[in-house]
Amino acid sequence: MSEHRRKPPQPQGRGRASARRAAQQRPGRGAGRDVSTASHSGPYAQQPAQGSRADARRAAQRGASGRGRGAGSARGAGRPDKRLINYPRSDRDGWKRFVPSWKLVSGTALGFFSVIIAGTGIGIAMVDTPDPNKAAEAQNNVFYWADGSQMVATGGSMNRQIVPISSIPQAMRDAVIAAENESFETDKGVDPMGIARAVWNMGTGGSTQGGSTITQQYVKNTYLDSDQTLKRKVTELFIAIRLGVKEEKDTVLAGYLNTAYYGRDAYGIQAAARAYFGKDSQDLNPSECAFLAAVLKGPNLYNPDGGIGAAATPELNSDRAKKRWAWVLDREVEVGRMDPAERAKHTQFPALVESEQARGMTGQIGYMVDTAKAYVMKTKGITAEQMARGGYRIKTTFEKPKVEAMVKAVEDIRAGLIDEKKRPDTDTFVQFGAASVDVKTGALVALYGGPGWDKKYFSNNANTSGVPVGSTWKPYVLAAAMEYGTQNSNGKGISVDSKYQANDLTVINNREGKPLRDSSGNPFRQKNESPTPFGYVTLNEAMEKSINVPFAQLVFDVGHDKVKNVAKSTGILEESINPNNDASFALGTSTPSAIRMADSYATFAASGMHREPYSVTAVDKDGEKLSGFEPPKDQRAMDNAVADNVTKVLENVIENGTGKKAKKLGRPAAGKTGTTDENKSAWFVGYTPELSTSVVLFRTDPNSAEKKLISMKGVGDIPSLHGGDIPAEIWTEYMAEALKGTPVKQFPEAEDIGVTADSAGAPSPTPAAPVTPSQSPSSLPPSSPPPSPSPSTGGGRPCKPWELYCDPDTTRGGTNEGTDTGTSSGVIGGPSGSPSPSPSGRPGRPGGLTGSTTGTAVD
């Protein structure tokens, strides 16, 4: 038989069919039917071992590697693999191919740690150790007026002295180690357990020393001006490890205490000792050391002078500092660094000396610098420590002539009004605040924050919160009614000619038409300041006389949320808005700052366009101009017709109503008075087409812990001080000087909008109240000063020499009937004469009187 016809050897114990199945493989996907996938190796192919048919079948299945896989890719046990890394593993089948071997795992781990160790070694070798002398240097920050002239240069003059560890008392070292890094003397520069502990405690709401060691914080202090990048943090870690290995602990601790920021523009322990206690660092006692260790946690929040932001007020900072001071002392006892007997000696918070920084910030400079710094820090995300390091050149929006005019207006009134020696029970602790904003841009051009940092008054009254705005809130309720309508207007905006009940002690209904309930469950009755039976009045007249009842009902007819939306759209911050949906919400229980109120009313002046207030126009850092200080873009807050109609109503308030003293300005102006319950605050907020300005008076003891508002009844010998009195006088004097030489400009004409939608129960048509020909003149103030300086029992008072814009027909203290809603405003005594003509003489802008002659309000 020829060679090519010789049969291949047959497996024993099996038939020909089994041999064929063992020798064949399933063709791969896509292969032709006539293409055989059997091996061509002939006798060199692996032969199946003798065994059962099941063994032969399993061998044949291993030979077939599945769809799409030819014989050349089949992997059998023991088959060699020439790859550098045998993964996926060729000597395993199925999912086991993807399980790495112990050799691969251990080799990979060894390689990874080798790279880490090598990289760490190279990193540590390449970095430099910190230079405390360089880190302690601080530059000036220079602030400029809007015209480019220098306002003040601050900081950078007292933070350069480095002291050796021998000049740092042991009490200071113990306090800082106990508070910041208990394991400092034994760790190697980093503390992984400390980091884990900090993360755990933060996650569970507990307190902790912090995740960074003193060494890491010292390193961080040298990189305050660097970018917050991963590279920077890795570099800091390398330096900390190097210091922990090579440097003595005393060297590191001295470096940290000599470069740390303590507030009051003080870098280093020596500067801090001088700034807070007026002594050298070596003379600090344990209580003073505990205070400085407490301040290190965050000077912006722990410096009792106050810091930047709403959470950094002097009172809040003082409270935090005292608690942290006590905690540091207790912590020293806990970790064995102070004897309990020594701790018992320190029960009084240490007395601080007057700040050198404050002495350099005379008058309004401190408040303006504080305002500008806060704007820069917020815009660029700069920390208080970075700002204190200096090097910034900051051009502000403040105009020196306007600031001087505002200061003069306040001080003129204060000098003639306040006499603390003569009337200590009424005239002490009276505070003034004011702010003025450019209507076209939103730029803050002037402010009055208080007597001055040099007078130890650090709270900025222009930017304070917590003082209710009273009836100056009512324009937002009216604007919301014009914009959104009421439940009586079928979704259409309403007209100011809509009539509402205005009688004192009227029951207020909720949106379902059911009476509100007071705390006793009885129907709630809203109180006006005056018991005058006004009957039904238009909203225009209600605003003119600042009657409470119509607006208390209107806010329910409109919806509180809509009023809040209108207020926020004009720049009022949500956190200052009273969240309660009660009647008093409409009457001014919210507490925006004077800056925000001036900016918000500027939205009405600008026909509904809102511009965020800003105080900085340009910033340079080390000669490089920083971005982000362009004027904020304007945004449409409300329809221009709504804003212009609000302006028309507020013009009438000055022309005929509670803001009548502002008529002396002699140019188109709109505004609103505001007075709160028991005369605890008094506001006047008004604007012209060019400027929007707010003025606030309130009374509080700046040294008290609660900072509660005190009634201003009797202040300046005025029985009941209102927004239409002193605040309106200050506003008028300032605006007259600030606008001197500025061409007179008219407000835009207000088009007729809205539908007349009277409140439930309003008669139609409303009969006009009869005009009384004359009334007793006894309720009017005298035309000349009486012999006695005391006001008459009728509530009037004479014009005083300092009252530049005094009108004897409107100068009165009034009486406060008292409310339980947080506000008091209304109408008191005296005839109003004949109905007033149009306030502007322009067509379409009539006065707001409906014929009532119940008198002139003093809100």
Side-chain angles (χ1 to χ4, degrees), residues 579-649:
N580 297 324
N581 294 336
D582 51 22
S584 62
F585 171 82
L587 310 179
T589 50
S590 297
T591 58
S593 67
I595 291 175
R596 284 288 167 178
M597 287 300 290
D599 176 70
S600 176
Y601 270 47
T603 305
F604 299 133
S607 295
M609 296 301 295
H610 173 245
R611 298 166 178 85
E612 275 290 293
Y614 66 103
S615 56
V616 175
T617 59
V619 178
D620 288 348
K621 176 67 169 70
D622 297 329
E624 180 180 350
K625 185 175 182 179
L626 303 185
S627 62
F629 294 97
E630 302 79 15
K633 295 182 179 180
D634 53 6
Q635 294 182 328
R636 172 62 63 185
M638 66 184 68
D639 189 88
N640 66 300
V642 171
D644 292 342
N645 271 273
V646 171
T647 293
K648 180 179 178 180
V649 172

Side-chain angles (χ1 to χ4, degrees), residues 410-766:
V410 173
E411 297 302 330
D412 284 349
I413 299 297
R414 175 188 284 276
L417 174 71
I418 305 299
D419 192 336
E420 296 182 12
K421 294 181 179 179
K422 185 178 179 180
R423 296 180 294 270
D425 294 337
T426 59
D427 285 13
T428 54
F429 309 135
V430 178
Q431 310 295 340
F432 295 75
S436 189
V437 169
D438 187 293
V439 168
K440 295 180 180 178
T441 65
L444 184 59
V445 297
L447 60 75
Y448 185 90
W453 285 12
D454 53 322
K455 302 293 178 60
K456 298 184 180 180
Y457 191 87
F458 299 102
S459 294
N460 184 354
N461 292 342
N463 200 32
T464 191
S465 59
V467 181
V469 296
S471 294
T472 59
W473 193 259
K474 291 174 182 174
Y476 304 122
V477 183
L478 179 62
M482 290 180 175
E483 185 87 14
Y484 299 104
T486 68
Q487 57 188 8
N488 304 321
S489 67
N490 296 322
K492 298 179 180 179
I494 70 171
S495 164
V496 295
D497 293 326
S498 301
K499 299 179 183 66
Y500 271 70
Q501 174 62 259
N503 284 343
D504 191 31
L505 298 177
T506 296
V507 173
I508 304 301
N509 296 325
N510 60 21
R511 289 185 66 81
E512 287 72 39
K514 298 179 180 179
L516 299 180
R517 298 291 173 177
D518 59 21
S519 57
S520 301
N522 299 319
F524 171 76
R525 297 178 179 274
Q526 177 61 54
K527 185 169 181 57
N528 292 327
E529 183 171 358
S530 167
T532 303
F534 294 104
Y536 282 86
V537 300
T538 65
L539 292 176
N540 188 47
E541 185 177 351
M543 186 74 75
E544 172 195 316
K545 294 178 172 64
S546 200
I547 310 173
N548 289 340
V549 169
F551 291 97
Q553 183 59 61
L554 181 62
V555 74
F556 284 96
D557 292 350
V558 175
H560 289 75
D561 289 341
K562 291 183 174 64
V563 177
K564 292 174 184 178
N565 289 339
V566 167
K568 287 189 288 186
S569 72
T570 65
I572 300 298
L573 300 179
E574 184 170 9
E575 55 265 29
S576 68
I577 298 177
N578 183 354
N580 297 324
N581 294 336
D582 51 22
S584 62
F585 171 82
L587 310 179
T589 50
S590 297
T591 58
S593 67
I595 291 175
R596 284 288 167 178
M597 287 300 290
D599 176 70
S600 176
Y601 270 47
T603 305
F604 299 133
S607 295
M609 296 301 295
H610 173 245
R611 298 166 178 85
E612 275 290 293
Y614 66 103
S615 56
V616 175
T617 59
V619 178
D620 288 348
K621 176 67 169 70
D622 297 329
E624 180 180 350
K625 185 175 182 179
L626 303 185
S627 62
F629 294 97
E630 302 79 15
K633 295 182 179 180
D634 53 6
Q635 294 182 328
R636 172 62 63 185
M638 66 184 68
D639 189 88
N640 66 300
V642 171
D644 292 342
N645 271 273
V646 171
T647 293
K648 180 179 178 180
V649 172
L650 298 185
E651 280 187 285
N652 185 55
V653 170
I654 290 179
E655 190 69 21
N656 303 302
T658 59
K660 199 171 183 180
K661 283 188 178 179
K663 275 178 67 174
K664 298 285 180 66
L665 181 62
R667 61 168 69 214
K672 184 69 188 76
T673 56
T675 309
T676 56
D677 187 28
E678 294 297 316
N679 299 112
K680 290 181 178 178
S681 64
W683 289 77
F684 187 82
V685 187
Y687 53 90
T688 66
E690 300 84 11
L691 281 181
S692 178
T693 301
S694 63
V695 179
V696 58
L697 264 69
F698 58 98
R699 192 172 173 228
T700 184
D701 181 357
N703 299 315
S704 67
E706 299 84 5
K707 301 294 188 298
K708 291 183 178 179
L709 295 177
I710 307 170
S711 174
M712 291 190 292
K713 288 183 177 181
V715 167
D717 212 16
I718 302 174
S720 182
L721 194 151
H722 294 73
D725 290 318
I726 304 305
E729 292 175 6
I730 294 174
W731 184 91
T732 306
E733 180 177 338
Y734 161 72
M735 293 289 279
E737 183 64 27
L739 295 172
K740 184 179 293 184
T742 303
V744 174
K745 184 178 180 181
Q746 304 292 329
F747 288 112
E749 193 73 28
E751 61 184 85
D752 293 334
I753 63 170
V755 298
T756 300
D758 299 339
S759 66
S764 181
T766 303

